[in-house]
Amino acid sequence: MTVVISVANQKGGVGKTTLTLNLGYSLARSGRRVLLVDVDPQFNLTFGLIGMDVLKHEERNVGTVMMREADVEETIVEVEKNLHLLPSHLNLSAKEIEIINAYNRERRLQKAINPILPDYDYVLIDNPPSMGIFLVNSLTASDFVLIPLELSYFGVIGMQLMFNLMAMIRSETNESLSLLGLVPNKFTRQTKVPKTRLRELRETYPEAPILTTIPKAIALEKAQARGMSIFDYEPGGRAAKAFEKLTREVIGLVEGE
Amino acid sequence: MSKESKLPKLFSGSVDELTRPSKPKVRKTKEGLKAQKKQKTLYVSLDMNRKLIELYAEEGRRQSVIVEDAVNLYYYLRLALGEKKFDELMSAVRREEPEFLRQYLERLRV
């Protein structure tokens, strides 16, 4: 059975795309069949995976699939073995207005990807940093939510907004939506702030599942700039090891291994 | 929240609860309906008609019994899996490839 995971946080710059991309690569290389879905109109995930080819997807992207103007199977791009992408596009922002006015607007993504779900083990959805129709569609279509967060004051505040949104989605459109975990990102020991915020987070929400911490690493930024995963750019580095550990953790939680 | 913590708590619900799916709503079953019968005309494709004939011919059963079993299978699988996962299962069924469905069912987790 396919597991659909939304990588979401209403705060920007917390590492949603980095987490989606590297977790996707790692799951795919562990033999899982993975589909990455980019519902962010800023299309960073799409650009990171297919570069300027994003321009070829004006007619075929996640927005046109949600509006039933394109076939989902014909829109999916193969990135590498076991790793596919349902791309975003520059015009996705414009599609938002059409989707808001469309019938069954909260379930457009779920209905669109449903026919191809049996072809995958994991679907990871990269979300925009705003509470709009794309995030609602993503959470409605998902089984789990992974929340990357920056251990700063506003980072932890933003995470709490996600808890409230999840509670709303569970009561309105998707009662089976569950929190898979929080992924503290950009962790550094150069200042005391991240450690302090992590302690405060544990005190405030002692039952919150806090997963592997991803370190602040320049290699992640450089890997993205070159359109590579951290496993190809700096295999064996701190960040790559953290993502490998996170992948094992996610597989353990989802598959019970 | 600890008195020393400077973090304002903005979520009043239970995070522990968020880590588990909500409990499915219990539907009430009406008594006495199983014994009563009702005539119902089906408007189905020729392909579905062929499959139905194949089933009652091979299994030596009446069409109505097959339809009742099929609806019960659909109804209770939908309740057991939840609407979203059931739709996913139906996507696999619609491929009409028994080997693909068998492999999908091997990976099925409830």
Side-chain angles (χ1 to χ4, degrees):
Chain A
M1 185 176 280
T2 315
V3 175
V4 183
I5 302 174
S6 268
V7 179
N9 190 332
Q10 283 162 269
K11 189 176 183 314
V14 295
K16 290 183 286 294
T17 303
T18 307
L19 175 57
T20 310
L21 187 144
N22 288 300
L23 183 60
Y25 268 104
S26 189
L27 284 167
R29 289 176 186 182
S30 74
R32 274 78 180 177
R33 299 166 304 163
V34 180
L35 173 67
L36 304 179
V37 180
D38 189 359
V39 293
D40 186 352
Q42 293 182 58
F43 60 87
N44 290 339
L45 178 68
T46 303
F47 198 82
L49 290 168
I50 62 172
M52 291 302 282
D53 276 359
V54 64
L55 297 174
K56 297 177 185 169
H57 289 271
E58 186 173 358
E59 306 293 327
R60 288 179 183 167
N61 58 63
V62 70
T64 55
V65 166
M66 286 172 77
M67 287 306 294
R68 296 180 194 156
E69 294 162 5
D71 181 81
V72 65
E73 282 181 70
E74 290 174 5
T75 307
I76 288 171
V77 181
E78 182 169 14
V79 177
E80 66 172 41
K81 189 189 174 199
N82 288 335
L83 187 65
H84 293 178
L85 169 71
L86 181 55
S88 176
H89 189 266
L90 292 71
N91 66 13
L92 194 59
S93 306
K95 275 275 172 262
E96 187 165 8
I97 297 165
E98 287 181 44
I99 293 166
I100 285 170
N101 291 303
Y103 170 74
N104 218 0
R105 61 186 175 185
E106 295 90 358
R107 298 182 194 279
R108 288 257 149 188
L109 182 63
Q110 185 186 327
K111 296 282 178 195
I113 63 173
N114 196 56
I116 45 93
L117 287 183
D119 293 320
Y120 298 98
D121 299 308
Y122 286 86
V123 175
L124 304 181
I125 309 176
D126 187 24
N127 287 281
S130 58
M131 208 299 249
I133 195 68
F134 290 118
L135 182 54
V136 170
N137 262 272
S138 172
L139 296 177
T140 301
S142 296
D143 302 299
F144 293 105
V145 180
L146 259 185
I147 306 179
L149 77 150
E150 204 178 339
L151 291 166
S152 64
Y153 183 73
F154 287 123
V156 181
I157 297 272
M159 178 212 69
Q160 297 182 78
L161 298 180
M162 274 307 301
F163 288 167
N164 283 306
L165 179 58
M166 275 190 72
M168 188 192 84
I169 293 288
R170 279 161 64 97
S171 67
E172 297 292 335
T173 59
N174 182 8
E175 63 188 23
S176 63
L177 184 69
S178 305
L179 175 64
L180 187 59
L182 311 175
V183 183
N185 193 17
K186 301 181 183 178
F187 189 81
T188 174
R189 292 186 194 279
Q190 286 177 337
T191 77
K192 289 180 181 173
V193 173
K195 201 176 170 187
T196 306
R197 295 298 174 216
L198 190 58
R199 180 175 50 77
E200 287 175 355
L201 176 62
R202 287 198 170 112
E203 284 172 3
T204 313
Y205 297 105
E207 69 278 39
I210 300 173
L211 307 184
T212 303
T213 299
I214 307 295
K216 188 173 186 177
I218 196 72
L220 283 166
E221 166 69 20
K222 287 183 176 175
Q224 280 184 345
R226 295 191 184 188
M228 297 165 80
S229 76
I230 192 65
F231 310 106
D232 296 313
Y233 183 78
E234 193 180 71
R238 281 187 312 136
K241 281 181 182 167
F243 272 108
E244 280 163 2
K245 188 178 171 204
L246 177 66
T247 306
R248 288 194 297 273
E249 212 167 10
V250 167
I251 290 172
L253 287 167
V254 169
E255 302 177 23
E257 285 178 11
Chain B
M1 192 166 97
S2 150
K3 284 178 184 172
E4 291 162 13
S5 172
K6 292 171 186 167
L7 187 70
K9 191 169 184 180
L10 299 177
F11 177 64
S12 56
S14 157
V15 174
D16 194 37
E17 213 168 89
L18 282 184
T19 61
R20 293 188 299 265
S22 307
K23 287 176 185 167
K25 294 175 186 106
V26 179
R27 298 185 191 192
K28 289 179 185 172
T29 50
K30 291 173 184 169
E31 298 295 325
L33 295 181
K34 291 185 195 302
Q36 298 171 48
K37 301 284 183 186
K38 176 183 166 66
Q39 186 90 28
K40 204 159 187 73
T41 305
L42 296 177
Y43 187 67
V44 295
S45 67
L46 290 178
D47 176 58
M48 197 54 60
N49 190 48
R50 179 190 60 78
K51 285 171 181 157
L52 190 55
I53 289 169
E54 201 177 299
L55 284 175
Y56 73 70
E58 281 180 6
E59 299 181 17
R61 298 195 299 167
R62 286 185 292 127
Q63 288 187 52
S64 58
V65 178
I66 292 168
V67 170
E68 288 214 4
D69 280 353
V71 171
N72 271 329
L73 183 66
Y74 187 105
Y75 186 88
Y76 287 107
L77 266 178
R78 193 166 181 268
L79 285 181
L81 294 176
E83 195 175 338
K84 200 149 60 70
K85 286 296 158 193
F86 180 75
D87 285 349
E88 188 185 314
L89 171 65
M90 285 307 297
S91 291
V93 170
R94 285 190 196 100
R95 306 280 176 100
E96 301 197 1
E97 294 170 20
E99 180 56 26
F100 180 86
L101 183 60
R102 191 186 61 75
Q103 286 174 8
Y104 177 80
L105 289 174
E106 277 178 1
R107 294 186 287 116
L108 189 72
R109 287 185 302 272
V110 181

